[in-house]
Amino acid sequence: MAAPKSVAVFFAVLNLISLLPFIAFSFSPDQPTDRKILVLLDDLSLKSSHSIFFNTLQSRGFDLDFKLADDPSIAVKRYGQYLYDGLVLFSPSADRFGGSLNIEGVLDFVDSGHDLILAGDSNASDLIRNIAAECGVEFDEDTSAMVIDHAGYAVSETEGDHTLIASDEFIQSDVILGSKKLEAPVLFKGIGHSLNPENSLVLKVLSASSSAYSANPTSKLSNPPSLTGTSISLVSVVQARNNARIMISGSLGLFSNRLFRSGVQKIGSLNKYEKSGNEQFVTELSKWIFHERGHLKAVHLKHNKIGETEEPSIYRINDDLEFSVEIFEWSGTSWVPYVANDVQVQFYMMSPYVLKTLSTNQKGLYHTSFKVPDVYGVFQFKIEYQRLGYTTLSLSKQVNIHSCVSFHKFC
Amino acid sequence: MVSSKMEKSPADLLASPGLSSMLKSLKLKTKQQELLIRVSILFLVYVLAFIARLFSVLRYESMIHEFDPYFNYRVTQYLTQKGFYEFWNWFDSESWYPLGRIVGGTLYPGLMVTAAFIYWTLRFLRFAVHIREVCVLTAPFFAANTTLVAYFFGKELWDSGAGLVAAALIAICPGYISRSVAGSYDNEGVAIFALLLTFYLFVKAVNTGSLAWGLASALGYFYMVSAWGGYVFIINLIPLYVLVLLITGRYSMRLYVAYNCMYVLGTLLAMQIRFVGFQHVQSGEHMAAMGMFFLMQVFYFLDWVKYLLNDPKKFHSFLRITVTSAVGLGAIALGVGTASGYISPWTGRFYSLLDPTYAKDHIPIIASVSEHQPTAWSSFMFDFHILLILFPAGLYFCFKRLSDATIFIVMYGLTSMYFAGVMVRLILVATPAVCLISAIAVSATVKNLTQLVRAKSKPASGGSGKGAASAKVLSKGSLDQSMPFQKNGAVALLLGVFYLLSRYAIHCTWVTSEAYSSPSIVLAARGANGNRVIFDDYREAYFWLRQNTPPDAKVMSWWDYGYQITAMGNRTVIVDNNTWNNTHIATVGRAMSSYEDEAYEIMRSLDVDYVLVVFGGVTGYSSDDINKFLWMVRIGGGVFPVIKEPDYLVNGEYRVDKGAAPKMLNCLMYKLSYYRFGELTTEYGKPPGYDRARGVEIGNKDIKLEHLEEAFTTSNWIVRIYKVKPPNNRW
């Protein structure tokens, strides 16, 4: 009797142990911050040349899994489950990935709600370009082109070809770049890209100055460059509709220890900074990308007649109702109340019949009350909250509105 | 029953002395014998009417047919499960998304309440029946009841012989069977019973002048109003009949009592039906009855004044003043009522009855329904057979013996025949009148002929059963014996009549079995070897929807399939067969006739999750969505002028092959119907992508879908379901 029982206990414990990592580290709606990240590298030396970036990630609790881009053991998915929450592609020259991963695999990874950091560089492969193009970012078609800025390059010992540029044209968003203002310009040496105008989700985070252009620095400019001025984006982000976040940079060097540490002085500027803005920029941006910031959740969508607490399945026209929802923001470690004065609810049937701004109690609860319009039909309480940097809140709850019937108990 | 058995075996009877004495005593009471035979015939007709309608159950299974019956079935289910009050308050969020439909206030509940009542009664009597069985058999049951009403009506009009013939004719008349086979659970199934009952009771009330019969006819009218929108026919025909009687000088107290009782009580009762409400006093379609009601009072008043005055000259001037002022007042009231909007004008449906071309020009949604098309001569022949010839003969007999009752049936026959010519489905309304009038013709002819035959050799009478039955009910008549070979001629004519009647019976059985017993939800075809092939694709698709889609999924399809999707698939639909909102239907029509990306916007705005199309290209099923497509374009274009019919036509011709219009080849309906069809070989010796329903090779074989993906296609490709993809994640 005793033996089988102990075996059973043993297996139960074994099960628990094997489950533990999943419980502790898997990405979940309750803990939106990523845990496990796969880093694909062109060359293992990148591990040391970009160690500051990787170390900050690891110190923030991320579990990094380094692999060569052509490692045949690469697998992001097993038995239909994703093994990673995030993917860092520091392999601008990889023509194909090892293992089972391919471009569709990367896009599926994103489309199932996971995050991606993609670094291109001059001579970026078609694979990297195609992934970027699928995310709404078009790298300059000329493979040898780089961003050149004769009026915005970073001062250095050698004159150089002005491809190391210092940019301080950041996106104006505390959510994406953190509340601490970036003082120093960011050093960038790499290729530029443009945003596909059809894509409404892609955002320019770091853009080139109006004097920049994209061309091959070694050859003489024969044709007008295809990308010029502020339309060149250096670093862009996409927040997909499923709230997966993508960062696309035209430079792998942006993340490197060398540029992190180097001082910066922009040409024509008297301010000389001891340290470039790269570390702060990349760190803060990675916090956003891996959902340590700017992640909202709306819960407890509730509606009821005034004076009641039960949620009815049907309202009568001209009923007075109360609506409330709780919205929290993820601080990186816990959910804190989200405070804003611009959250609106729609009472919607083909078009909004009621549109009201919700008032908040500063503790995450948003509420309002209104009168049901004099129209019967299938209505929805709809919250469509889209703010720069924040995850999109899109909730709806269906409810029937019925006119009053003469002789029954409802009236 | 015992005695009828005895009659059939006289040899056995004579063997036993006790029975023979019984027979003797039976023979003495001829009246009773006649009653017995009449009751047996009526009973047999009753049974016949019921079982003739069971072909569909035998051929297929006990199932609900077609489109509208599925809604009725769903409502009945709801009624029996949730009770009457819940039913009355039912707001159906599964149809007309997102508008919804207040079911309790937008239907004629008579049919459902009747079926639920039968169900509850059977349950009370401890018969464990399923509600579906009750619904399937409701129409045959009421058709059988209609034969009884026809008998009594015929008796009231002419004599009991005509009644029996009428019962027999209506029991198997295809025009009626088409709407009352088992499974055809539609309003018409009980409404024809109610219609004929109301007319019978009203004629009875006019004939007797009894308040009780007037009350009965008001109740019959109430039942009719609760059952079918066709009650408008009654409320217009009866005033018209009364007017004719007034003009022909047949005004009487009987008529006054019957009409007033029927009108006042009937109106009050009809107002209790929520869908009808105050229409009886507010809608233009009901004003004739009200006007006639006031006219009757004027007549009564004049009669009284005439009685008081005793002076024809004074009365004449009084008459002139009264009539002029009454008519003037009525006209002014009507004008003011219409102008102020208190009295609503006639509806489009009513107009389209009076003017057959109206719907085609103004209401495409009515014109698009095949049963609203004008009737072809062939379908008159198909549905009435010899009745079409007997009908004028019956009219002749009616005119020969004019009475209040025969005037009524003549008017009913003529008006309903006109309406039957306007719309195919109204053949149904004409059928009882045609049967009754034909029955008068048959009965009167056979009666006259048998009198001739019996005149010389009375003992030889009573040949065939039917002849004897008719002969028994003869009243004595004088015979004209001047013609030579009269008897032989009469016998020949009798044989002719019996031949015609038997042809009628054969025709009716054939039509019922071949044409009117198909459920249309399950399709049957003959295979190459003459074997029967069953296509059960509709139910396959609806079952798939029920099992594989989220419970709150919204399905867009053309409105024909709406009721079936909600009833069988249990999913929300955008539009359905209750075509109350033309704009909503036009939106769906517009989506179907737009390019895919434009359609995607429309579908997103309606929260559509799945699109369902019906496609007959593989099986050769011709009533599919491609063949209905021009109506979608017309209805869509009627509201949204961006959709133009000529864009889908080439030189006024509707094609789907290579020569088709470019917009046609790329619109959503074409793409969804023919997606992946170009890879399929449907017929030996034909290129892939050969459409068997239209007999052409399709013009666009390389169809790519961007915003939709194929979710399910049934085994014979009749129903194809597509899923609407969510917007691109990264764009």
Side-chain angles (χ1 to χ4, degrees):
Chain A
M1 259 332 266
K5 198 176 174 184
S6 63
V7 169
V9 170
F10 172 73
F11 275 112
V13 171
L14 200 71
N15 270 336
L16 269 182
I17 291 168
S18 59
L19 278 175
L20 265 176
F22 292 100
I23 294 168
F25 301 117
S26 66
F27 176 90
S28 74
D30 293 334
Q31 301 268 317
T33 299
D34 293 351
R35 289 288 155 212
K36 219 166 169 329
I37 291 162
L38 176 66
V39 184
L40 295 186
L41 307 168
D42 263 346
D43 185 342
L44 282 179
S45 67
L46 287 172
K47 217 170 144 180
S48 54
S49 66
H50 291 62
S51 60
I52 299 177
F53 173 63
F54 293 132
N55 287 338
T56 55
L57 287 184
Q58 275 164 335
S59 69
R60 297 209 311 264
F62 294 104
D63 181 4
L64 302 186
D65 193 356
F66 295 96
K67 286 214 166 105
L68 278 177
D70 52 2
D71 186 336
S73 69
I74 294 173
V76 291
K77 199 175 185 179
R78 189 188 291 153
Y79 309 133
Q81 295 283 321
Y82 281 101
L83 303 171
Y84 302 98
D85 307 321
L87 184 60
V88 177
L89 292 181
F90 279 179
S91 55
S93 60
D95 288 325
R96 49 176 291 275
F97 298 116
S100 56
L101 192 64
N102 52 13
I103 177 166
E104 284 80 24
V106 172
L107 296 171
D108 281 347
F109 184 77
V110 171
D111 288 345
S112 39
H114 301 97
D115 307 315
L116 171 70
I117 293 181
L118 177 77
D121 217 332
S122 53
N123 300 316
S125 68
D126 283 346
L127 175 70
I128 299 298
R129 285 167 182 275
N130 289 341
I131 294 175
E134 286 289 335
C135 301
V137 164
E138 310 278 357
F139 282 119
D140 192 342
E141 279 172 28
D142 184 356
T143 50
S144 54
M146 292 181 91
V147 184
I148 303 168
D149 193 346
H150 296 302
Y153 63 91
V155 180
S156 59
E157 288 84 44
T158 56
E159 179 61 12
D161 49 12
H162 299 173
T163 53
L164 180 67
I165 58 177
S167 172
D168 49 9
E169 313 219 355
F170 307 113
I171 190 169
Q172 295 303 313
S173 167
D174 287 354
V175 187
I176 295 177
L177 290 181
S179 48
K180 194 171 160 225
K181 195 175 173 338
L182 272 160
E183 300 289 342
V186 168
L187 289 171
F188 181 93
K189 185 185 173 93
I191 53 173
H193 58 255
S194 62
L195 307 187
N196 191 326
E198 282 173 32
N199 190 325
S200 55
L201 298 172
V202 64
L203 296 171
K204 231 184 262 183
V205 177
L206 182 68
S207 82
S209 72
S210 51
S211 55
Y213 64 96
S214 176
N216 185 347
T218 55
S219 66
K220 209 169 173 218
L221 204 56
S222 53
N223 301 317
S226 55
L227 292 177
T228 53
T230 49
S231 72
I232 301 178
S233 174
L234 304 176
V235 178
S236 302
V237 293
V238 179
Q239 178 168 276
R241 288 184 204 279
N242 62 357
N243 291 328
R245 288 171 177 173
I246 304 164
M247 169 181 171
I248 295 166
S249 156
S251 161
L252 182 55
L254 183 76
F255 303 89
S256 68
N257 296 354
R258 196 171 65 80
L259 293 190
F260 272 25
R261 290 203 190 107
S262 74
V264 59
Q265 183 182 11
K266 196 173 175 181
I267 188 71
S269 162
L270 294 173
N271 293 337
K272 187 170 168 38
Y273 300 93
E274 279 303 303
K275 200 161 169 286
S276 72
N278 285 33
E279 182 168 5
Q280 193 191 345
F281 176 75
V282 167
T283 308
E284 292 299 324
L285 197 54
S286 73
K287 280 184 185 169
W288 183 81
I289 291 289
F290 293 135
H291 290 268
E292 286 170 80
R293 193 169 51 225
H295 192 99
L296 299 179
K297 74 166 178 185
V299 290
H300 300 139
L301 195 79
K302 264 181 62 184
H303 57 88
N304 52 265
K305 269 190 222 175
I306 284 183
E308 293 176 19
T309 48
E310 286 286 297
E311 196 167 281
S313 63
I314 197 160
Y315 283 102
R316 304 281 151 186
I317 55 175
N318 295 329
D319 271 355
D320 289 301
L321 65 81
E322 283 178 318
F323 172 85
S324 69
V325 64
E326 289 175 43
I327 302 179
F328 294 100
E329 184 179 2
W330 178 248
S331 69
T333 48
S334 64
W335 291 101
V336 294
Y338 175 69
V339 180
N341 57 7
D342 55 358
V343 185
Q344 291 182 317
V345 64
Q346 301 174 31
F347 201 50
Y348 185 92
M349 183 184 76
M350 299 214 275
S351 59
Y353 278 75
V354 174
L355 178 63
K356 283 204 97 172
T357 305
L358 299 170
S359 45
T360 174
N361 67 350
Q362 311 287 321
K363 285 175 188 154
L365 182 74
Y366 289 80
H367 61 91
T368 189
S369 60
F370 56 86
K371 194 184 258 306
V372 174
D374 192 2
V375 181
Y376 73 84
V378 181
F379 278 77
Q380 287 173 327
F381 292 101
K382 253 192 179 182
I383 289 192
E384 292 285 343
Y385 189 67
Q386 297 172 347
R387 290 295 176 272
L388 181 64
Y390 286 108
T391 49
T392 305
L393 291 182
S394 175
L395 291 96
S396 65
K397 201 165 200 177
Q398 192 168 309
V399 70
N400 296 343
I401 305 296
H402 185 348
S403 56
C404 200
V405 170
S406 47
F407 59 82
H408 192 41
K409 56 186 177 186
F410 288 138
C411 289
Chain B
M1 281 316 287
V2 179
S3 47
S4 74
K5 218 181 208 171
M6 286 171 203
E7 277 188 335
K8 277 174 193 162
S9 51
D12 288 356
L13 290 177
L14 294 174
S16 124
L19 284 177
S20 69
S21 65
M22 263 181 75
L23 182 70
K24 248 182 200 166
S25 64
L26 207 92
K27 265 184 179 167
L28 286 173
K29 300 170 190 163
T30 359
K31 279 266 182 202
Q32 283 184 352
Q33 270 190 29
E34 190 220 316
L35 180 72
L36 184 72
I37 291 170
R38 217 193 301 162
V39 168
S40 332
I41 290 174
L42 211 51
F43 176 74
L44 289 175
V45 165
Y46 189 90
V47 173
L48 173 71
F50 190 82
I51 59 173
R53 286 163 167 83
L54 298 185
F55 273 111
S56 58
V57 175
L58 299 176
R59 286 275 161 78
Y60 299 92
E61 61 188 275
S62 173
M63 64 193 291
I64 306 287
H65 293 189
E66 299 199 327
F67 304 105
D68 287 19
Y70 270 96
F71 171 73
N72 300 333
Y73 175 52
R74 177 163 165 254
V75 173
T76 314
Q77 270 183 317
Y78 191 91
L79 172 61
T80 51
Q81 283 162 10
K82 303 262 171 95
F84 193 73
Y85 286 117
E86 284 289 323
F87 159 73
W88 213 231
N89 279 305
W90 186 19
F91 176 77
D92 181 15
S93 57
E94 283 199 358
S95 58
W96 292 95
Y97 181 85
L99 306 168
R101 175 180 176 191
I102 300 172
V103 174
T106 55
L107 52 54
Y108 295 100
L111 176 74
M112 299 87 183
V113 173
T114 307
F117 184 73
I118 296 173
Y119 173 74
W120 285 323
T121 312
L122 289 172
R123 284 267 158 172
F124 179 74
L125 297 172
R126 297 294 179 272
F127 288 106
V129 290
H130 190 271
I131 182 67
R132 194 192 66 237
E133 310 292 346
V134 176
C135 292
V136 165
L137 295 179
T138 298
F141 173 62
F142 271 87
N145 293 340
T146 309
T147 61
L148 294 185
V149 179
Y151 165 73
F152 287 110
F153 203 174
K155 199 177 159 195
E156 192 65 32
L157 290 171
W158 204 255
D159 55 25
S160 55
L164 278 181
V165 179
L169 289 180
I170 204 168
I172 53 170
C173 183
Y176 186 25
I177 282 190
S178 67
R179 290 294 173 148
S180 60
V181 291
S184 173
Y185 181 55
D186 211 346
N187 291 337
E188 290 95 325
V190 299
I192 291 305
F193 166 77
L195 178 89
L196 202 58
L197 184 68
T198 311
F199 282 154
Y200 162 64
L201 293 171
F202 182 70
V203 168
K204 187 91 185 169
V206 171
N207 277 350
T208 56
S210 139
L211 265 179
W213 286 113
L215 172 66
S217 72
L219 289 173
Y221 178 64
F222 173 59
Y223 187 56
M224 176 69 190
V225 175
S226 77
W228 195 35
Y231 77 87
V232 176
F233 179 59
I234 298 185
I235 202 64
N236 282 299
L237 177 63
I238 287 183
L240 191 66
Y241 163 66
V242 172
L243 184 70
V244 167
L245 286 193
L246 292 186
I247 290 171
T248 51
R250 285 174 168 270
Y251 169 78
S252 63
M253 270 316 281
R254 290 178 287 115
L255 185 67
Y256 181 82
V257 169
Y259 183 75
N260 286 326
C261 178
M262 190 268 168
Y263 176 71
V264 174
L265 288 175
T267 301
L268 287 176
L269 286 169
M271 282 179 183
Q272 311 309 312
I273 307 294
R274 268 173 72 203
F275 192 29
V276 179
F278 285 96
Q279 280 183 32
H280 272 79
V281 290
Q282 285 192 340
S283 120
E285 284 137 40
H286 302 74
M287 282 304 120
M290 187 186 263
M292 187 48 62
F293 172 70
F294 289 121
L295 199 62
M296 287 291 274
Q297 313 313 318
V298 172
F299 251 78
Y300 186 76
F301 177 68
L302 286 175
D303 243 25
W304 179 67
V305 170
K306 192 177 177 184
Y307 166 75
L308 282 184
L309 277 178
N310 265 334
D311 179 0
K313 212 175 176 187
K314 269 187 191 168
F315 175 70
H316 210 74
S317 50
F318 181 77
L319 180 76
R320 205 178 294 161
I321 295 164
T322 324
V323 169
T324 318
S325 52
V327 169
L329 265 176
I332 289 167
L334 194 68
V336 169
T338 314
S340 65
Y342 183 77
I343 298 171
S344 65
W346 287 351
T347 60
R349 278 169 200 268
F350 199 74
Y351 269 120
S352 60
L353 276 180
L354 299 181
D355 173 9
T357 58
Y358 181 82
K360 207 162 218 170
D361 300 334
H362 296 93
I363 328 169
I365 205 148
I366 290 182
S368 74
V369 181
S370 63
E371 63 183 21
H372 290 167
Q373 304 302 318
T375 317
W377 267 107
S378 56
S379 48
F380 271 119
M381 203 57 210
F382 199 65
D383 281 355
F384 289 142
H385 199 237
I386 59 160
L387 304 186
L388 213 53
I389 308 156
L390 293 173
F391 179 68
L395 287 180
Y396 165 76
F397 281 108
C398 288
F399 275 113
K400 265 192 88 174
R401 209 176 93 184
L402 268 186
S403 67
D404 290 355
T406 47
I407 289 178
F408 181 82
I409 196 68
V410 165
M411 292 194 55
Y412 174 24
L414 291 177
T415 48
S416 63
M417 265 312 227
Y418 169 73
F419 290 130
V422 174
M423 268 192 199
V424 178
R425 67 188 290 211
L426 294 180
I427 282 190
L428 179 70
V429 176
T431 303
V434 171
C435 285
L436 279 164
I437 293 174
S438 307
I440 290 172
V442 171
S443 177
T445 311
V446 170
K447 189 164 139 189
N448 287 346
L449 291 175
T450 42
Q451 271 176 347
L452 280 180
V453 172
R454 281 155 60 100
K456 277 175 189 170
S457 54
K458 263 181 184 162
S461 73
S464 70
K466 200 156 200 175
S470 304
K472 293 273 182 199
V473 297
L474 283 183
S475 57
K476 285 157 209 121
S478 63
L479 297 176
D480 181 8
Q481 302 201 344
S482 58
M483 304 274 285
F485 306 113
Q486 204 170 36
K487 196 178 154 192
N488 297 340
V491 170
L493 281 175
L494 266 182
L495 288 175
V497 169
F498 294 137
Y499 173 74
L500 276 181
L501 288 175
S502 54
R503 289 309 305 177
Y504 172 72
I506 292 166
H507 171 81
C508 291
T509 319
W510 175 78
V511 167
T512 310
S513 145
E514 290 297 316
Y516 288 147
S517 292
S518 156
S520 94
I521 187 101
V522 178
L523 309 167
R526 296 266 174 222
N529 317 324
N531 54 325
R532 220 155 66 105
V533 189
I534 295 281
F535 300 129
D536 205 356
D537 285 40
Y538 280 105
R539 291 198 291 177
E540 187 186 346
Y542 299 141
F543 190 70
W544 184 89
L545 274 180
R546 183 184 273 264
Q547 297 292 324
N548 295 285
T549 58
D552 61 347
K554 280 97 190 166
V555 184
M556 183 174 90
S557 72
W558 192 233
W559 59 265
D560 296 24
Y561 315 107
Y563 278 164
Q564 294 180 347
I565 293 170
T566 38
M568 283 190 271
N570 197 19
R571 291 294 173 271
T572 306
V573 292
I574 308 297
V575 291
D576 66 26
N577 310 48
N578 174 255
T579 51
W580 66 276
N581 188 325
N582 191 37
T583 314
H584 219 49
I585 291 182
T587 311
V588 173
R590 182 186 176 184
M592 293 295 191
S593 31
S594 301
Y595 294 123
E596 194 188 347
D597 44 353
E598 293 159 12
Y600 184 65
E601 293 299 316
I602 299 170
M603 293 189 289
R604 291 278 302 160
S605 72
L606 290 172
D607 297 336
V608 173
D609 298 306
Y610 291 90
V611 184
L612 182 147
V613 294
V614 171
F615 173 60
V618 177
T619 50
Y621 173 54
S622 61
S623 56
D624 65 351
D625 278 345
I626 288 287
N627 279 357
K628 292 174 186 169
F629 181 61
L630 273 191
W631 286 111
M632 303 183 201
V633 172
R634 273 174 212 151
I635 293 169
V639 177
F640 305 102
V642 286
I643 304 292
K644 294 182 197 71
E645 191 178 338
D647 291 350
Y648 300 86
L649 303 174
V650 177
N651 300 327
E653 200 185 346
Y654 180 62
R655 331 172 43 159
V656 296
D657 57 358
K658 276 203 174 61
K663 181 130 196 197
M664 177 72 207
L665 290 177
N666 289 295
C667 68
L668 185 70
M669 177 50 77
Y670 192 94
K671 279 178 135 183
L672 297 188
S673 288
Y674 290 120
Y675 181 63
R676 292 201 300 117
F677 186 65
E679 306 159 10
L680 188 78
T681 306
T682 50
E683 223 171 288
Y684 179 73
K686 293 282 197 280
Y690 179 76
D691 184 335
R692 292 179 68 192
R694 282 151 286 272
V696 290
E697 186 185 348
I698 59 165
N700 184 358
K701 289 189 187 175
D702 183 32
I703 293 170
K704 297 262 188 302
L705 291 174
E706 192 186 342
H707 301 292
L708 293 111
E709 59 188 357
E710 189 178 4
F712 184 67
T713 294
T714 55
S715 44
N716 298 302
W717 289 50
I718 289 180
V719 184
R720 312 196 70 186
I721 300 172
Y722 292 84
K723 189 180 187 331
V724 180
K725 288 194 211 164
N728 192 319
N729 191 32
R730 281 166 274 112
W731 289 80

